[in-house]
Structure formats: structure tokens, C-alpha cells
Amino acid sequence: MSLEAVSRAEITPAEARRLFRDGLVTPTAGWSAGYAQANLIIVPKAQAFDILLFAQRNPKSCPILGVLDAGETSGPLLAGGDIRTDLPRYTVYVDGEKVADPTDITEYWRDDLVTFIVGCSFTFEAALQEGGIRIAHIDQGTNVPMYRTSVRCEPAGEISGPLVVSMRPVPASQIPDAVRITARYPAVHGAPVHIGNPEELGISDLSRPDFGDPVEIPEGYVPVFWACGVTPQAAVMESKPSLAIGHAPGHMLITDARDSSYLV
Amino acid sequence: MSLEAVSRAEITPAEARRLFRDGLVTPTAGWSAGYAQANLIIVPKAQAFDILLFAQRNPKSCPILGVLDAGETSGPLLAGGDIRTDLPRYTVYVDGEKVADPTDITEYWRDDLVTFIVGCSFTFEAALQEGGIRIAHIDQGTNVPMYRTSVRCEPAGEISGPLVVSMRPVPASQIPDAVRITARYPAVHGAPVHIGNPEELGISDLSRPDFGDPVEIPEGYVPVFWACGVTPQAAVMESKPSLAIGHAPGHMLITDARDSSYLV
């Protein structure tokens, strides 16, 4: 099954979730234009306080858009949907090790699992493009490059880990606009955390991202780094709760919330 | 012991906390000008996730400035301090009933207690005054009037309750300024939730607040309502956790954070 770009952009979130539920597997970039896509992190209730506190202490990387109570599989961000089936692909961690990347997590589901829906920078990419800023990974048809950094997040209880950042190359003259535009979306990572000098973040080679795909950085462009919603998954890998489930990189939850609802 | 207004305003937060620790009991309005004062809600670890999720779902009334891990009694917002002694007065609830209002909670302390430090509208009052807006309860030397409303907060697990609001009368011509100025402080309740028409909030008599003191509303002034950090205490009274401890109304935690650090 395939869909033209125009169809992907125009499909409603509910229709997109239904297609994924019915078995379609695809990255979600470009789908359901104008609607917020989101990162996912699901943990047992025993770890839920630490994850929520970790998010509260690291709001730039872990902006919480919604939380489903223990055992709940739907909520207002995915009306009529099912969090166990409505993403195209998931990542399952047991004791911090990735053990599977299924397209459905029904077999892993337990009544004590709490779902955190976390903002995603896809939301401000449309605003950047409207502001005349090209997005390299969209132009190149790849997933945004993401890097584990040497910057530590504020820990919370048993959860700790590094800040993960996404990177977009921006022409030097447009960096002020990129900062200004994204700062207006604090619920989806907001302003960049670092501009230029990847070494200071402990990133030695931009061409080898830890998640996603590398992008070419044209002459005169500067790498600009935003906090990334994969940060909770990096924390899970380090902190090793008995079970955790995230989205697969680039395979996001498409929510019913409008991108514009996160504009301040 | 008494302090002139000028001394109260100029005392550092650490000095103020030491005076309260040593036994001084006083409302904190006007103390340590320029530093953020905060609401307090302390619950056992077993209720901490529900309280944190309640705060996340009701950010206007419960903006979290900091969380002390279970058993912790100090943190960066009160450097060198002790949360059990450094407020002038507390309120202790057992099964939702107020059982004491001590000036020290050491005897109630347990290693499983989690402390939530919640933003307070005192922070934006200085900005309102700088904007030329008089604050009635400061002029009248009383505590701000607060009301339980008929608006329900979003519940979280076992925690539910009404929105509590504080009220300040503002001349009709200055309401736009009051909205604009306070909107820039989202971490301390932000813009008003309601302007005029107290009946719509289920408030039948402004002269009988549920917490704090009544204020006179001069001719031409309109009652303006902001979400209030007493909301978690109202939820505790309704939801009846085995133990909860808050500040006593008007007797806040004076933090080391500058008011200006919450300006966006």
C-alpha cells in the first residue's frame, strides 16, 4: 500500500491511525499536515512517577502533551484510537535492552502500563518552512538526525540519562529566525539548546547520528540542535526499568491536536 | 519580634527562612522583594504520582517549580534550608481533614514524603504594581481573597477537586494591562482564568472568601480571577489521602529563585 505525498498530508489523524492499526508501516513525516505528532514512552506504574518527574525536570526534551492512566489505551489526543496499535512501529525495551520493534504492542500490554505522550519537533518544522527555512532532512527524504550528547539530564529517582538532540542545518543568516520561530513552541521542544560547535555537546561526528539518518550540511550552514523527544528512551536504555515501550524513531503518534494549539 | 516593611522587603530568602525556622510566625507578603514565594503540598510517595499528574493536567493552578524526592528536606530552591521548618506556618491534613496548623512539621515527617513546590501569584503582583495597577489586598494590608469555584480540575488517579482562584479588583481600563502582564508569567499562574461575573464560577458572595480575607471592590473596578496554588490543598481535602501537608494560607515558602526568572 502506498499513498502519494499529497494524500499523506491531507489524511486526518484518525484515518492515519486506522491505516497503521490495519497494518501499514511507514515513517510519519509529512502525514496529516497541521496536526501534532508525538513521541511515546510507556512504563509500568512503578516507574511512572520517576518518568513524570524526569519530564518535569527536563521540560525542553520531555514536554508532556498527555498522560494515559495505568491500563488506559485511549485518550483525547487519539480519540477513538488505541495506543497499542495506532503507531506504525514501536520499540520494546526489557531491562534497558531493545528486544523488539513490533508494529503492534498488544502482546506486551499490561493493566499497570502508563503512557506518556511527549511533544515532537515535527510540529515546528512546518512553521520553520513557512518562515522560509528549508529543512534538510525533509528535502533529502530522510529521518532527522539525532545524537546522544555529553550533557546530562536532571535525574529523577531511578531515571537518568543523556540529553538527546535533533539537528537541522540552518544558513547563518536565518538562525535568528529559526530561534525566534521555534521559541514560540515551548510544548514541542521550543528554542534550540545549542548552535554550532557539536564538540561541546560531545558529538564527534555529525555524519554518524545515534538515531535517524545523517544529512548533508551545505557550505555556510550551521548545525542547530534542539532537545529531542527520544531523550526518555535514552534514559530507559541507561536506567533499565523492567519494561518500557517507545515509538520507533520517526514512526510517531499522529494526534488530534492542531500544531497551532501549541503556539504561544 | 517585628520587622519594618523596608527590612522585610530587603531581607534575603535565606535570612527569612532562618527567622521562620527560629520561630517567627508571620504572613510572608512583602518579604524578600524580587524573590519568588511558593505554595507547598507534601504527600506520601504512594500519592505522589497522582499529585504530579494532577499538576501536569492543571498547569494554570498547579505550576510546579520544583520537587524534592521522597524524604528530601532541602533543594536548590531553598539552599541550606529545611522544608520542615522554614515556612512560618503549615496546614496538616489527615484523611482530608485539617488536623493542625503547626509552625514546624518535624514531628509529622516521614522518609516517604514527597514535596511539591508550586508557583504563587505573589510573583506577578510586583510586576502588576510596576505596571501601575494597584493591588487591593496589599493596599488594605490583608491576605488575597481566594474562592473554591464550581469549575472542576482535570482529575488524576485518586486526586480530584475544584479550581481555586484568587481575586484582585482591577479598574476596567487596566484589565488589558493586567492580562498582558500576568500572561508573561506562566510558571506562576499566568493570565487570568476569568474576568467579571463571579456567579459563572459558582461564587455567590465575594465578601466571603474560602481562604484569605475579603477586599473592598471600589466603584468601576471589576473582579479579576487567577488560578491559585491552594488548588492542590482543596483537592487533598476532597480526595482524602492519608496524610498531606501544605503551607498555611499566606504563609509561603520564600525561595532563592528570582521573580524575574519566571518571566517569559
Side-chain angles (χ1 to χ4, degrees), chain B residues 150-215:
Chain B
S150 55
V151 178
R152 300 294 298 171
C153 289
E154 283 287 321
E158 296 177 359
I159 301 295
S160 61
L163 172 68
V164 177
V165 295
S166 61
M167 188 279 287
R168 294 163 187 79
V170 177
S173 64
Q174 289 188 306
I175 292 175
D177 282 344
V179 173
R180 184 180 55 77
I181 291 168
T182 58
R184 298 184 64 197
Y185 290 91
V188 291
H189 305 305
V193 292
H194 198 92
I195 296 171
N197 293 338
E199 308 76 27
E200 286 180 21
L201 292 174
I203 302 170
S204 54
D205 186 352
L206 284 175
S207 73
R208 296 175 54 197
D210 295 300
F211 308 92
D213 304 311
V215 294

Side-chain angles (χ1 to χ4, degrees), chain B residues 228-252:
Chain B
C228 176
V230 169
T231 299
Q233 291 195 44
V236 155
M237 286 184 235
E238 180 174 310
S239 309
K240 307 185 192 307
S242 58
L243 176 66
I245 303 171
H247 63 287
H251 297 65
M252 318 304 290

